[in-house]
């Protein structure tokens, strides 16, 4: 919004903030209704009909469902972030005023915050996972609030 003057809430016509939140809510409800250890601990092939499971490559069929779920979540988030970056960089205000580098620099802080668990030493992450998660969540929340309030007040 800082560069485009609008606050987009969707990528395309069908994937927006509301749809993602409904999806998370549905996933949370479904997880409450099933045996999570049995579902996420088994391989993908154990959840599929034999005819479909045999047609998958063994590396995918023998992967645990939890790894498939995390991979799909990571892929979805990567696509949404890349589409958002593309939308900002292709906006007329950004292209006419040559603000692409400045816009990408604004992405540096949340980007570093998002990859920080992989930058920290492994023993620190193993011993302090909850503290790291809470700290990153609070920092993301603070950043989001600052972006929204500054945008509403037309501040930098």
């Amino acid at each position: 919004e800082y560069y485009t003057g609008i606050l987009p809430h969707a990528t395309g016509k069908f994937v927006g903030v509301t749809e993602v939140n409904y999806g998370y809510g549905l996933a949370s409800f479904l997880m409450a209704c099933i045996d999570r250890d049995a579902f996420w601990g088994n391989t993908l092939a154990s959840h599929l009909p034999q005819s479909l499971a045999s047609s998958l490559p063994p590396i995918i069929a023998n992967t645990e469902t939890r790894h498939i779920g995390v991979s799909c979540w990571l892929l979805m988030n990567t696509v949404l972030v890349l589409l958002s970056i593309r939308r900002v960089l292709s906006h007329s205000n950004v292209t006419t005023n040559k603000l692409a580098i400045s816009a990408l620099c604004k992405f540096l802080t949340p980007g570093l915050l998002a990859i920080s668990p992989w930058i920290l030493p492994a023993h620190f992450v193993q011993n302090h996972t909850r503290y790291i998660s809470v700290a990153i969540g609070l920092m993301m929340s603070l950043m989001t609030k600052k972006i929204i309030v500054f945008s509403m007040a037309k501040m930098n």
Side-chain angles (χ1 to χ4, degrees), residues 23-98:
Y24 284 147
L26 179 63
S28 297
F29 177 74
L30 292 175
M31 289 301 111
C33 296
I34 65 170
D35 181 7
R36 290 179 301 281
D37 293 332
F39 179 77
W40 293 108
N42 289 328
T43 62
L44 182 62
S46 67
H47 298 294
L48 299 174
Q50 181 59 31
S51 59
L52 183 59
S54 62
S55 65
L56 291 174
I59 193 164
I60 293 175
N62 297 326
T63 302
E64 288 185 3
T65 311
R66 62 180 154 196
H67 296 132
I68 298 288
V70 169
S71 298
C72 290
W73 175 79
L74 182 63
L75 178 66
M76 179 190 74
N77 283 329
T78 302
V79 167
L80 289 174
V81 166
L82 291 174
L83 287 172
S84 295
I85 291 171
R86 181 178 152 258
R87 180 177 42 230
V88 169
L89 294 180
S90 64
H91 192 272
S92 61
N93 187 37
V94 175
T95 55
T96 356
N97 297 320
K98 298 184 182 355

Side-chain angles (χ1 to χ4, degrees), residues 95-106:
T95 55
T96 356
N97 297 320
K98 298 184 182 355
L99 297 171
I101 299 298
S102 178
L104 287 174
C105 286
K106 300 283 190 227

